[in-house]
Coordinates of all heavy atoms in Angstrom, one line a residue:
Y752 N 24.3 -39.9 -54.2 CA 24.6 -40.6 -55.4 C 25.4 -39.8 -56.5 O 24.8 -39.4 -57.5 CB 23.2 -41.2 -56.0 CG 22.4 -42.0 -55.0 CD1 21.4 -41.3 -54.3 CD2 22.8 -43.3 -54.7 CE1 20.7 -42.0 -53.3 CE2 22.0 -44.0 -53.8 CZ 21.0 -43.4 -53.1 OH 20.3 -44.1 -52.1
K753 N 26.6 -39.6 -56.2 CA 27.4 -38.7 -57.0 C 27.5 -39.1 -58.5 O 27.5 -38.4 -59.4 CB 28.7 -38.6 -56.5 CG 28.8 -37.9 -55.1 CD 28.7 -36.4 -55.2 CE 28.6 -35.7 -53.9 NZ 28.0 -34.4 -54.0
E754 N 27.6 -40.5 -58.7 CA 27.6 -41.0 -60.0 C 26.4 -40.7 -60.8 O 26.4 -40.3 -62.0 CB 27.9 -42.5 -60.1 CG 29.3 -42.9 -60.2 CD 29.6 -44.3 -60.2 OE1 28.8 -45.1 -61.0 OE2 30.5 -44.8 -59.6
S755 N 25.2 -41.0 -60.2 CA 24.0 -40.7 -60.9 C 23.9 -39.2 -61.2 O 23.5 -38.7 -62.3 CB 22.8 -41.0 -60.0 OG 22.7 -42.4 -59.7
W756 N 24.4 -38.4 -60.3 CA 24.3 -36.9 -60.5 C 25.2 -36.5 -61.7 O 24.8 -35.8 -62.6 CB 24.8 -36.3 -59.2 CG 24.7 -34.7 -59.3 CD1 25.6 -33.8 -59.7 CD2 23.5 -34.0 -59.0 NE1 25.1 -32.6 -59.7 CE2 23.8 -32.7 -59.3 CE3 22.2 -34.4 -58.7 CZ2 22.8 -31.6 -59.2 CZ3 21.2 -33.4 -58.5 CH2 21.5 -32.0 -58.7
R757 N 26.4 -37.1 -61.7 CA 27.3 -36.9 -62.8 C 26.6 -37.3 -64.1 O 26.8 -36.7 -65.2 CB 28.6 -37.5 -62.6 CG 29.6 -37.5 -63.6 CD 30.2 -36.1 -63.7 NE 30.9 -36.0 -65.0 CZ 32.0 -35.4 -65.2 NH1 32.5 -34.7 -64.2 NH2 32.5 -35.2 -66.4
G758 N 25.9 -38.4 -64.1 CA 25.3 -38.9 -65.3 C 24.2 -37.9 -65.8 O 24.1 -37.7 -67.0
I759 N 23.5 -37.4 -64.9 CA 22.4 -36.4 -65.3 C 23.1 -35.3 -65.9 O 22.7 -34.7 -67.0 CB 21.6 -36.0 -64.1 CG1 20.8 -37.2 -63.5 CG2 20.6 -34.9 -64.4 CD1 20.3 -36.9 -62.1
Q760 N 24.1 -34.8 -65.3 CA 24.9 -33.6 -65.8 C 25.4 -33.9 -67.3 O 25.2 -33.0 -68.2 CB 26.0 -33.2 -64.9 CG 25.6 -32.6 -63.6 CD 26.9 -32.3 -62.8 OE1 27.7 -33.2 -62.5 NE2 27.1 -31.0 -62.4
E761 N 26.0 -35.0 -67.3 CA 26.6 -35.4 -68.7 C 25.6 -35.5 -69.8 O 25.8 -35.0 -70.9 CB 27.4 -36.7 -68.6 CG 28.8 -36.4 -68.0 CD 29.6 -37.7 -67.8 OE1 29.1 -38.7 -68.2 OE2 30.7 -37.6 -67.2
R762 N 24.5 -36.2 -69.4 CA 23.4 -36.4 -70.5 C 22.9 -34.9 -70.9 O 22.7 -34.7 -72.1 CB 22.3 -37.2 -69.9 CG 22.6 -38.7 -69.9 CD 21.4 -39.5 -69.6 NE 20.9 -39.4 -68.3 CZ 21.3 -40.0 -67.2 NH1 22.4 -40.8 -67.3 NH2 20.8 -39.8 -66.0
G763 N 22.8 -34.1 -70.0 CA 22.3 -32.7 -70.3 C 23.2 -32.0 -71.2 O 22.9 -31.3 -72.1
M764 N 24.6 -32.1 -70.9 CA 25.6 -31.4 -71.6 C 25.7 -32.0 -73.0 O 26.1 -31.3 -73.9 CB 26.8 -31.4 -70.9 CG 26.9 -30.5 -69.7 SD 28.5 -30.4 -68.9 CE 29.3 -29.0 -69.7
A765 N 25.5 -33.4 -73.1 CA 25.8 -34.0 -74.4 C 24.7 -33.8 -75.4 O 24.8 -34.1 -76.6 CB 26.0 -35.5 -74.1
Q766 N 23.5 -33.3 -75.0 CA 22.4 -33.1 -75.9 C 22.8 -32.0 -77.1 O 23.5 -31.1 -76.8 CB 21.2 -32.5 -75.2 CG 20.6 -33.4 -74.3 CD 19.4 -32.7 -73.6 OE1 18.3 -32.8 -73.9 NE2 19.7 -31.9 -72.6
D767 N 22.2 -32.2 -78.2 CA 22.4 -31.1 -79.3 C 21.2 -30.3 -79.1 O 20.1 -30.6 -79.5 CB 22.4 -31.8 -80.6 CG 22.4 -30.7 -81.7 OD1 22.7 -29.5 -81.3 OD2 22.3 -31.0 -82.9
L768 N 21.4 -29.2 -78.4 CA 20.3 -28.2 -78.1 C 20.4 -27.0 -79.1 O 19.8 -26.0 -78.8 CB 20.3 -27.7 -76.7 CG 20.1 -28.8 -75.6 CD1 20.3 -28.3 -74.3 CD2 18.7 -29.3 -75.7
S769 N 21.3 -27.1 -80.1 CA 21.5 -26.0 -80.9 C 20.3 -25.5 -81.8 O 19.4 -26.4 -81.9 CB 22.7 -26.3 -81.9 OG 22.2 -27.2 -82.9
W770 N 20.4 -24.3 -82.3 CA 19.3 -23.8 -83.1 C 19.3 -24.6 -84.5 O 18.3 -24.4 -85.2 CB 19.4 -22.3 -83.3 CG 18.6 -21.5 -82.3 CD1 19.1 -20.9 -81.3 CD2 17.2 -21.4 -82.3 NE1 18.1 -20.3 -80.5 CE2 16.9 -20.6 -81.1 CE3 16.1 -21.9 -83.1 CZ2 15.6 -20.3 -80.8 CZ3 14.9 -21.5 -82.8 CH2 14.6 -20.7 -81.6
D771 N 20.4 -25.2 -84.8 CA 20.5 -25.8 -86.2 C 19.3 -26.7 -86.4 O 18.7 -26.8 -87.5 CB 21.8 -26.4 -86.4 CG 22.9 -25.4 -86.5 OD1 22.6 -24.3 -86.8 OD2 24.1 -25.7 -86.1
H772 N 19.0 -27.5 -85.5 CA 17.9 -28.5 -85.7 C 16.6 -27.8 -85.7 O 15.8 -28.0 -86.6 CB 17.9 -29.5 -84.5 CG 16.8 -30.5 -84.6 ND1 16.6 -31.4 -85.6 CD2 15.8 -30.7 -83.8 CE1 15.5 -32.1 -85.5 NE2 15.0 -31.7 -84.4
A773 N 16.4 -26.8 -84.8 CA 15.1 -26.1 -84.8 C 15.0 -25.3 -86.2 O 13.9 -25.2 -86.7 CB 15.0 -25.1 -83.7
A774 N 16.1 -24.8 -86.6 CA 16.1 -24.0 -87.9 C 15.6 -24.9 -89.0 O 14.8 -24.4 -89.9 CB 17.4 -23.4 -88.2
E775 N 16.0 -26.1 -89.0 CA 15.6 -27.1 -90.1 C 14.1 -27.3 -90.1 O 13.4 -27.3 -91.1 CB 16.3 -28.4 -89.9 CG 16.5 -29.2 -91.1 CD 17.4 -30.4 -90.8 OE1 18.1 -30.5 -89.9 OE2 17.2 -31.4 -91.6
L776 N 13.5 -27.4 -88.8 CA 12.2 -27.6 -88.6 C 11.4 -26.3 -89.0 O 10.3 -26.3 -89.6 CB 11.7 -28.0 -87.2 CG 12.4 -29.3 -86.8 CD1 12.2 -29.5 -85.2 CD2 11.9 -30.4 -87.6
Y777 N 11.9 -25.1 -88.7 CA 11.3 -23.9 -89.1 C 11.3 -23.8 -90.6 O 10.3 -23.5 -91.2 CB 12.2 -22.7 -88.6 CG 11.6 -22.1 -87.3 CD1 11.8 -22.8 -86.2 CD2 11.0 -20.9 -87.3 CE1 11.3 -22.2 -84.9 CE2 10.5 -20.4 -86.1 CZ 10.6 -21.1 -84.9 OH 10.2 -20.5 -83.7
E778 N 12.4 -24.3 -91.2 CA 12.5 -24.3 -92.7 C 11.3 -25.0 -93.3 O 10.7 -24.6 -94.3 CB 13.8 -24.8 -93.2 CG 14.0 -24.7 -94.6 CD 15.5 -25.3 -94.8 OE1 16.4 -24.7 -94.4 OE2 15.6 -26.4 -95.5
E779 N 11.0 -26.2 -92.7 CA 9.9 -27.0 -93.3 C 8.6 -26.3 -93.3 O 7.8 -26.3 -94.2 CB 9.7 -28.3 -92.5 CG 10.8 -29.4 -92.8 CD 10.7 -30.5 -91.8 OE1 9.7 -30.7 -91.2 OE2 11.7 -31.3 -91.7
V780 N 8.4 -25.5 -92.2 CA 7.2 -24.7 -92.1 C 7.2 -23.6 -93.2 O 6.2 -23.3 -93.8 CB 7.0 -24.2 -90.7 CG1 5.8 -23.2 -90.6 CG2 6.8 -25.3 -89.7
L781 N 8.4 -22.9 -93.3 CA 8.5 -21.8 -94.3 C 8.1 -22.3 -95.7 O 7.4 -21.7 -96.5 CB 9.8 -21.2 -94.2 CG 10.4 -20.7 -92.9 CD1 11.7 -20.0 -93.1 CD2 9.4 -19.7 -92.3
V782 N 8.6 -23.5 -96.0 CA 8.4 -24.1 -97.3 C 6.9 -24.4 -97.5 O 6.3 -24.1 -98.5 CB 9.2 -25.4 -97.6 CG1 8.8 -26.1 -98.8 CG2 10.7 -25.0 -97.6
K783 N 6.2 -25.0 -96.4 CA 4.8 -25.2 -96.5 C 4.0 -23.9 -96.7 O 3.1 -23.8 -97.5 CB 4.3 -25.8 -95.2 CG 4.5 -27.3 -95.0 CD 3.9 -27.8 -93.8 CE 4.4 -29.2 -93.4 NZ 4.4 -29.5 -92.0
A784 N 4.5 -22.9 -96.1 CA 3.8 -21.5 -96.3 C 4.0 -21.0 -97.7 O 3.1 -20.6 -98.3 CB 4.4 -20.5 -95.3
K785 N 5.3 -21.3 -98.2 CA 5.5 -20.8 -99.5 C 4.6 -21.4 -100.6 O 4.2 -20.7 -101.5 CB 7.0 -21.1 -99.9 CG 7.5 -20.9 -101.3 CD 9.0 -21.2 -101.4 CE 9.4 -21.1 -102.8 NZ 10.9 -21.4 -102.9
Y786 N 4.3 -22.6 -100.5 CA 3.5 -23.3 -101.5 C 2.1 -23.3 -101.1 O 1.3 -24.2 -101.6 CB 4.0 -24.8 -101.7 CG 5.4 -24.7 -102.4 CD1 6.5 -25.3 -101.7 CD2 5.6 -24.1 -103.5 CE1 7.7 -25.3 -102.3 CE2 6.8 -24.1 -104.1 CZ 7.9 -24.6 -103.5 OH 9.2 -24.6 -104.1
Q787 N 1.7 -22.5 -100.2 CA 0.3 -22.5 -99.7 C -0.5 -21.4 -100.3 O 0.0 -20.3 -100.3 CB 0.3 -22.4 -98.2 CG -1.0 -22.5 -97.5 CD -0.7 -22.5 -96.0 OE1 0.0 -23.3 -95.5 NE2 -1.4 -21.6 -95.3

Side-chain angles (χ1 to χ4, degrees):
Y752 304 98
K753 293 286 177 200
E754 261 182 47
S755 295
W756 187 263
R757 176 70 200 215
I759 297 169
Q760 288 179 302
E761 280 179 4
R762 283 191 293 277
M764 289 182 89
Q766 293 177 96
D767 177 9
L768 296 170
S769 75
W770 267 107
D771 291 333
H772 176 59
E775 206 176 335
L776 299 174
Y777 265 73
E778 186 180 292
E779 284 172 19
V780 175
L781 305 185
V782 171
K783 279 184 193 157
K785 172 177 174 174
Y786 293 122
Q787 187 172 305

